[in-house]
Amino acid sequence: MLIRTHTCGQLRDTNVGENIRLNGWVNSYRDHGNLIFIDLRDRYGVTQLVFDPDDGTDAALMAAADKLRNEDVVACEGVVRIRIGGENPKLASGKIEIVVKKLEVLNKTEPPPFLPEDIGNLPAEEFRSKYRYLDLRRPTMQKILGLRHKAYQATRRYFDQNGFLEVETPILYKSTPEGAREFLVPSRHLPGNFYALPQSPQLFKQILMVAGCDRYMQICRCFRDEDPRADRQAEFTQIDLEMSFVRRDQVMAMMEGFVRTLWKEVMGVEVPPLARMTYREAMERFGIDRPDTRYALESRDISSLAAKCDFGVFKDVLAKGQDRPQFNSKRGVVKAIHVPGGADKLTRKMTDGYTPFVKGFGAGGVATVKVNAQGAFETGIAKFLEPIREDLTRELNLKPGDAVLFVADLYAIATKAIGELRQVVARDLGLIPKSGAEGGPWNFLWVIDFPMFEKDKESNRWVAMHHPFTSPRDDQLEAFLAADVNDDDTIEGIVSAGYDIVLNGQEIAGGSVRIHDQAVQSKVFRLLGLTPEQAREKFSFLLEALAFGAPPHAGIAFGFDRLVMNFVGTTNIRDVIAFPKTQTGQDLMTGAPGVANEAQLRDVHVKSIPIEPKAEPKA
RNA sequence: GGGGCGGUAGCUCAAUUGGUUAGAGUACCGGACUGUCGAUCCGGUGGUUGCGGGUUCGAGUCCCGUCCGCCUCGCCA
């Protein structure tokens, strides 16, 4: 075999005259009869080969070149020369070509089901997944693999330099039926027992802190058996981190340093210091805990103004109480979004769609007013708002031609609805900028001071907003330990020591200071409705560990796939995973999951129960 | 589990209101061609319209079911 001396992305006019060898795939062939061009491709680039009888190519070599087809794997030897036909500016190697003297076909290909080209329409994703090895040959996919690799290396380098220890934690793990549905793995030795694949190494990393690791990092696979989305896979990658003997701000500073280093090394972008926003402010202004601050359309609580008008819907909602604590779901509020220029830009078709849209989040509807050239309100509810028109105009700084959208409901519903509505309006009006990778802004943000607990709608029980090992904020510990577990207003107001990093409206990392004190941990479990027995059954090892000298510790986890998505500028998580799965969790290339045979099932003491056939529909 | 969109040649797509033998580009095969670079030109092969049933004189098109893919709500501590 003619082993390569260079890659296909390497040779330049400085190499002219050199005798070289290249290996690669045929990217395209252009056969002019007595002159044949082959573009040879590998991961590094494309180089043009030429077979030219005027330059000594004999008939046998011409015949061999004549048979070359796309994706054949070849080796060649030849001489670098300046292109006679002129430069191709599209190629890095476009000034030169290789006059081939020897050719070896290393592997003739079957006609491939599609060609790994970035030009034209890509084959359907389903098809690209089935022949993933062909899809991955595309330069775009090679570039993504390269960016992902760079991110891995920058991550390891940064945390190594900061004293973090990389530790692997088990994939075969104990089931902890809190949170996401788990993948189960049956045990052969213990009939009827199952491992679970970890949703995250949360408990192990805390145990590592108790074990004195001090600083831990891992780029780890996590598994959640929930339905995927464009930016979610059942199997995904986290950068998992934990630190001992730190307070919240030290962890945040360390992680902020990581973000800035990562963006610098992977994208060459200088990220300014990250702004901080409390959960409450995020909810008030944006109606969501991961605000996209790239556009305005902020929402305002106008409850006290609305109380002075004659609109029945507002009055009814506000009558449900306004004197509750800050996060209280039983508080009635009126929220408004000011849309500059909205009188014209918001079409009837758009606004007609907004009421059904917010109804999906439990809200009653959206009221709209438009400000005419004289500054008067128009549309159906204008006359009810007349008593507060001047105050509202001043408060929201309304100008002629603007519009205002109102949602009135209980705090939780109105906030959620207006937050979702804001995003739809932004999309409708084309206010969302292009991605950072395409030259748009990178808006990073810390969100802090989350509530510890929220009420589960179905069971009406408290659930941990982050996870049950998250500590109350330092100044809340006393109040938390003293709080009556039945005092909803107080419990709802307890603030945690959690923190998220939000990028352009997407959560890219989340973490918290952990509980290192058994009394606090026990109270959290009690609040979540776990008896001491249940808590011990599920988390005995953690509770024990906390009793045997657990240092104060805190950590965070980054969604690695999402980071790479941002570097690439894609909204499809499957683009950044080498071998992704479909929405039903199938790998179309390998055919996983597959049926297990009788013997395999017997080994692990499992019996497969077929789905019961559905009742015949009546004819 | 719910809602939406899609499935036609190896691939990307078209096919009028339900109406002739389901077309085009590309890939592939054959031929021509000495400077191309998404080469060009000429010719050719290639179809269970995802699958099953129904309506109809007639179904790629309409109806029912089903499978698969994508988007989305629920879900994702």
Side-chain angles (χ1 to χ4, degrees):
Chain A
M1 174 182 169
L2 301 165
I3 300 289
R4 63 186 173 191
T5 56
H6 297 77
T7 71
C8 297
Q10 208 174 351
L11 294 166
R12 298 291 181 272
D13 48 3
T14 52
N15 300 98
V16 166
E18 291 178 29
N19 200 59
I20 57 90
R21 292 192 294 272
L22 293 178
N23 300 158
W25 287 262
V26 173
N27 196 56
S28 71
Y29 60 95
R30 295 178 292 280
D31 185 346
H32 292 235
N34 256 330
L35 183 70
I36 297 173
F37 299 100
I38 301 288
D39 284 350
L40 198 65
R41 182 196 72 238
D42 63 15
R43 188 182 122 198
Y44 310 94
V46 171
T47 298
Q48 173 166 291
L49 314 181
V50 62
F51 295 82
D52 184 354
D54 290 351
D55 210 321
T57 301
D58 63 32
L61 191 48
M62 283 304 285
D66 187 52
K67 292 199 181 69
L68 290 176
R69 291 295 176 270
N70 293 326
E71 301 311 307
D72 283 341
V73 184
V74 302
C76 68
E77 183 173 315
V79 178
V80 183
R81 77 173 177 200
I82 294 290
R83 288 186 179 211
I84 293 171
E87 183 181 352
N88 179 356
K90 291 182 196 165
L91 290 182
S93 65
K95 281 199 172 75
I96 56 101
E97 62 189 2
I98 312 301
V99 189
V100 177
K101 305 296 182 190
K102 288 184 196 165
L103 176 72
E104 235 182 288
V105 178
L106 302 175
N107 205 350
K108 180 78 188 161
T109 184
E110 295 286 314
F114 61 90
L115 294 177
E117 302 171 321
D118 287 315
I119 52 177
N121 284 350
L122 290 179
E125 200 182 341
E126 190 176 351
F127 220 77
R128 293 167 47 204
S129 299
K130 182 169 180 188
Y131 299 96
R132 190 63 165 170
Y133 40 87
L134 292 179
D135 194 35
L136 290 174
R137 279 185 203 162
R138 287 165 48 220
T140 299
M141 298 306 280
Q142 293 283 326
K143 185 183 157 215
I144 291 173
L145 292 176
L147 276 173
R148 187 164 177 131
H149 167 83
K150 255 182 152 176
Y152 288 133
Q153 305 317 317
T155 300
R156 290 214 160 89
R157 204 176 310 125
Y158 177 86
F159 287 110
D160 178 54
Q161 283 167 0
N162 282 285
F164 284 72
L165 211 57
E166 182 167 353
V167 182
E168 290 186 80
T169 53
I171 295 293
L172 296 176
Y173 179 39
K174 192 190 169 192
S175 174
T176 52
E178 309 292 313
R181 191 181 297 114
E182 296 170 316
F183 288 95
L184 291 177
V185 181
S187 157
R188 178 170 55 87
H189 288 296
L190 299 170
N193 283 253
F194 294 81
Y195 302 96
L197 305 184
Q199 301 171 35
S200 81
Q202 180 60 35
L203 298 181
F204 282 105
K205 68 175 173 177
Q206 291 191 240
I207 299 280
L208 284 170
M209 294 302 101
V210 182
C213 275
D214 198 63
R215 290 180 174 193
Y216 145 89
M217 76 83 65
Q218 183 182 191
I219 298 177
C220 63
R221 202 63 65 81
C222 303
F223 305 87
R224 295 178 188 173
D225 191 5
E226 301 288 352
D227 289 354
R229 285 286 185 284
D231 63 348
R232 276 179 5 203
Q233 276 275 282
E235 183 177 352
F236 65 101
T237 304
Q238 283 190 347
I239 307 169
D240 198 44
L241 300 149
E242 199 75 9
M243 303 171 77
S244 289
F245 304 115
V246 285
R247 290 179 310 162
R248 186 184 73 174
D249 289 358
Q250 288 168 280
V251 185
M252 291 173 70
M254 178 66 74
M255 298 312 155
E256 191 165 326
F258 168 59
V259 165
R260 299 172 73 180
T261 302
L262 190 62
W263 254 259
K264 178 76 188 158
E265 292 195 14
V266 178
M267 300 300 287
V269 168
E270 297 282 354
V271 174
L274 271 60
R276 292 189 184 192
M277 189 181 289
T278 65
Y279 171 85
R280 182 178 187 187
E281 185 181 349
M283 296 307 280
E284 284 293 323
R285 290 172 57 192
F286 303 98
I288 194 163
D289 62 357
R290 43 179 177 83
D292 190 338
T293 56
R294 292 175 300 171
Y295 54 91
L297 292 183
E298 295 189 19
S299 67
R300 287 281 291 277
D301 188 329
I302 57 148
S303 300
S304 51
L305 259 182
K308 295 180 205 154
C309 79
D310 298 323
F311 190 36
V313 174
F314 288 0
K315 282 191 150 16
D316 292 349
V317 162
L318 294 172
K320 292 175 181 172
Q322 300 179 65
D323 54 348
R324 299 279 190 155
Q326 56 185 39
F327 303 126
N328 196 290
S329 51
K330 294 171 194 130
R331 186 159 57 106
V333 296
V334 179
K335 314 234 15 167
I337 294 180
H338 172 203
V339 186
D344 289 331
K345 287 185 199 154
L346 287 175
T347 64
R348 182 64 191 262
K349 193 181 172 195
M350 291 176 192
T351 53
D352 280 353
Y354 293 159
T355 286
F357 177 75
V358 299
K359 279 186 173 169
F361 305 100
V366 178
T368 309
V369 295
K370 295 186 170 179
V371 185
N372 70 15
Q374 287 72 44
F377 285 179
E378 291 182 347
T379 67
I381 65 161
K383 63 174 180 288
F384 302 113
L385 297 186
E386 194 51 34
I388 61 167
R389 183 175 59 83
E390 282 180 23
D391 285 348
L392 200 60
T393 300
R394 191 178 338 103
E395 189 72 15
L396 297 180
N397 193 25
L398 300 181
K399 300 274 191 299
D402 290 355
V404 185
L405 302 169
F406 301 92
V407 173
D409 216 302
L410 293 172
Y411 173 83
I413 292 170
T415 304
K416 164 97 177 163
I418 205 108
E420 298 293 332
L421 181 62
R422 171 178 178 263
Q423 296 176 66
V424 171
V425 173
R427 212 171 308 137
D428 283 349
L429 299 183
L431 297 176
I432 301 175
K434 53 189 174 185
S435 72
E438 295 167 314
W442 300 102
N443 278 22
F444 290 91
L445 187 68
W446 281 109
V447 178
I448 56 171
D449 294 352
F450 292 84
M452 282 282 286
F453 306 100
E454 58 187 346
K455 268 281 164 76
D456 179 65
K457 276 161 277 173
E458 281 173 27
S459 62
N460 197 36
R461 294 201 329 212
W462 291 112
V463 293
M465 191 150 189
H466 185 48
H467 58 54
F469 318 107
T470 298
S471 175
R473 203 174 63 192
D474 284 357
D475 59 357
Q476 305 272 302
L477 272 167
E478 236 172 276
F480 174 66
L481 284 169
D484 179 346
V485 295
N486 296 314
D487 177 1
D488 279 6
D489 284 354
T490 302
I491 299 298
E492 197 165 29
I494 303 280
V495 172
S496 84
Y499 33 79
D500 284 357
I501 301 177
V502 174
L503 168 59
N504 294 349
Q506 185 186 36
E507 182 191 331
I508 59 164
S512 62
V513 177
R514 323 298 186 188
I515 297 168
H516 65 278
D517 178 286
Q518 257 196 324
V520 179
Q521 188 67 69
S522 297
K523 177 136 191 179
V524 170
F525 284 150
R526 187 148 33 102
L527 234 154
L528 299 179
L530 289 177
T531 64
E533 292 72 29
Q534 288 170 322
R536 214 172 301 125
E537 191 193 331
K538 285 182 180 173
F539 306 115
S540 61
F541 59 101
L542 178 71
L543 292 173
E544 274 179 21
L546 291 180
F548 292 131
H553 58 288
I556 198 167
F558 286 82
F560 187 75
D561 308 288
R562 287 187 181 173
L563 297 177
V564 181
M565 284 169 72
N566 276 286
F567 298 146
V568 170
T570 180
T571 54
N572 180 351
I573 195 171
R574 295 177 301 280
D575 282 345
V576 302
I577 296 176
F579 300 101
K581 293 189 173 59
T582 68
Q583 286 200 354
T584 51
Q586 296 183 71
D587 176 342
L588 297 177
M589 188 184 71
T590 66
V595 184
N597 67 36
E598 276 298 314
Q600 288 175 305
L601 290 176
R602 207 164 33 238
D603 267 357
V604 294
H605 322 286
V606 165
K607 193 177 254 177
S608 182
I609 305 170
I611 296 175
E612 290 183 27
K614 284 180 192 168
E616 285 292 315
K618 283 170 193 168

